[in-house]
Amino acid sequence: MSQSNPILHPRKGIHNLEKYEETYEQFKWDSVHPHFSWFKTDKVNMAYECIDRHVEDGYGEKEALVYINGTTKESLTFSELKRRTDEWAHLLKSQGVKKGDRVFTFLPKNQEGYIAILAVIKVGAIVGPLFEAFMEDAIYDRMYDCEASVLLTNAELLERVPVDKLPELHSIYITDDLDHPIAQSIPRLLKETSFEGEAVQWVGLNDGMIIHYTSGSTGKPKGVLHAHRVMIQQFQTGKWVLDLREDDVYWCTAHPGWVTGSSYGIFAPWLNRTTVVVHGGRFKADEWFQAIEDTGVTVWYSAPTAFRLLMNDTDKIKNFNLSSLRHILSVGEPLNPEVITWGLDAFNIRIHDTWWMTETGAQLIVNLPTAAIKPGSMGRALPGITAGIIDLEGNEVKRGEFGLLAIKKGWPSMMKEIWKNEEKYQSYFINDWYVSGDLARMDEEGYVFFQGRNDDMINSSGERIGPFEVESKLIEHPAVVEAGVIGKPDPLRGEIVKAFIVLTDAYTESEELLKDIQTFVRFKLAAHAMPREIEVLEELPKTPISGKILRRILKAQEIEKLEQGDRYHVPL
Ligand code: WTA
């Protein structure tokens, strides 16, 4: 977060947004509307704008999706993507799926995972994409809350879905060509489906389209619902911030179960008619570099933890030809200046930090390719966005002072609602400010510097983890009476999940027991929510009257311990 880092100026070249200050003064979101076909036809559908219109405009033979996984490389053109999403949409319609139904997808990062999401949107239903690594409880919390009636998955992942506990779920479809006791096979059904008539269901800009569950500091994950209108901002940020152009090959490394993987892994690039790379499989430095070389990625959107992991394998870079890269972006957690310096050394390209949230639907504060970067800053508010640093009353603080990072209401991609939770939705706002929950300061030139969260939300490797969810799971373990969960600062992952637990009398602490508790969370909830550290305490700090666990004290103690460690660390 140092201000003494040198300012990094942009390289020369033509970019989609050349004059930030001038554009900021004049820009109105309405000016983007004529880009969309609904501006003339009044017929709205995100999937149509992402795929069908490009085919109608004569770009059917352009590559839309390039799937790469190890030695497998397959691609789909926009025509093929249209045909396949049309077919799936017809299938869903013939099975009775209607506008507004909640249809969840639980699929790997492969062609079908993307086709499924777009097909659900095409029929006007609300899609709920689930992250591939979710286990039973994480799936249950989301599908139950959302009253999902349909699930698109595969036979292997279906084993993790607690079907018996989901009363609203009446239809399950799998991508495998096989008989299944509780699910129907999509490839088999497609053989019987009539593809007559229009596949697209027209909707309104404010109709619900996608729901992402996201964690805060309290309670279960909340369903953030976005409407089709997000396309206005996703298209425009794809142009300005991702700087997408006709010949780009674009790779966003996030799974579409997270908002980055949908807003910027699907919608922003395809609204801009860009070729999208989908990389299957897990993170491995060699495979990632290979994927860039094999597909010729030009624009790459990833996250600080991934960059930090790649930094550990810097020596491998020389084995690959990565010269296609021209623009790199980052999101999800603070981008430390060391990573920017590494990017400059490794690729001779600046890494452009961007800030936004599940609730905001699209980028809001960014480093543009044409602007100076102040390492440690997330950048400036986009044209069309008013960012402020406010106090608890909604008054802006003095420039340079820390406060709550807030955005003036009214940007096109703002969430439509929190699913069935109006009170939670309202709690985001102070007057006409949307309050992010992040703490930050803004300098005289409008550059925003991130400080941390104003609540107990944990951000590990860019993934939001709610301490309450992890605590609830921990106390289901027979050995655990009480649990307090915090994010412990970590040089690689930003934060790691750390749990403090009190054991029941029947158990004594052992390495084996702690492993068992970790595994319990991992296989019941999700791997990324598993506490990487567990500490057994005699008792947890609590508020005197209500007896609530004071996570802040646990965190303060932990940070103090880390600092003490630093102080007494003797360099070798
Ligand atoms: C954090 C991800 C620092 C922040 C798109 C925010 C960041 C939360 C940055 C949203 C950044 C996101 N620098 N922190 N550039 N971007 N965050 O909903 O705390 O998964 O509130 O959205 O991630 O996480 P979410």
Side-chain angles (χ1 to χ4, degrees), residues 332-334 353-358 378 438 450 453 459 464:
E333 31 167 346
D353 197 8
T354 62
W355 177 88
W356 56 294
M357 303 176 70
T358 306
M378 313 190 289
D438 287 357
F450 177 84
R453 286 287 301 177
N459 186 335
R464 268 165 82 163

Side-chain angles (χ1 to χ4, degrees), residues 367-383:
N367 284 289
L368 289 163
T370 42
I373 289 179
K374 298 185 183 180
S377 163
M378 313 190 289
R380 289 176 292 180
L382 277 165

Side-chain angles (χ1 to χ4, degrees), residues 356-409:
W356 56 294
M357 303 176 70
T358 306
E359 292 87 338
T360 74
Q363 297 156 339
L364 298 174
I365 295 175
V366 300
N367 284 289
L368 289 163
T370 42
I373 289 179
K374 298 185 183 180
S377 163
M378 313 190 289
R380 289 176 292 180
L382 277 165
I385 299 299
T386 307
I389 307 293
I390 61 168
D391 62 20
L392 288 168
E393 271 77 53
N395 304 309
E396 285 190 70
V397 303
K398 285 207 208 85
R399 277 290 160 116
E401 281 181 9
F402 283 106
L404 301 165
L405 174 56
I407 308 291
K408 275 267 162 73
K409 265 199 240 179

Side-chain angles (χ1 to χ4, degrees), residues 520-557:
F520 182 75
V521 179
R522 182 189 179 96
F523 290 109
K524 284 283 203 177
L525 195 57
H528 69 280
M530 178 191 83
R532 284 179 182 266
E533 277 185 27
I534 301 183
E535 189 172 328
V536 178
L537 297 178
E538 288 295 311
E539 58 179 346
L540 297 179
K542 292 198 190 118
T543 51
I545 297 166
S546 58
K548 263 177 65 180
I549 294 167
L550 284 164
R551 297 186 192 119
R552 267 157 207 256
I553 302 241
L554 291 168
K555 182 148 183 168
Q557 285 170 353

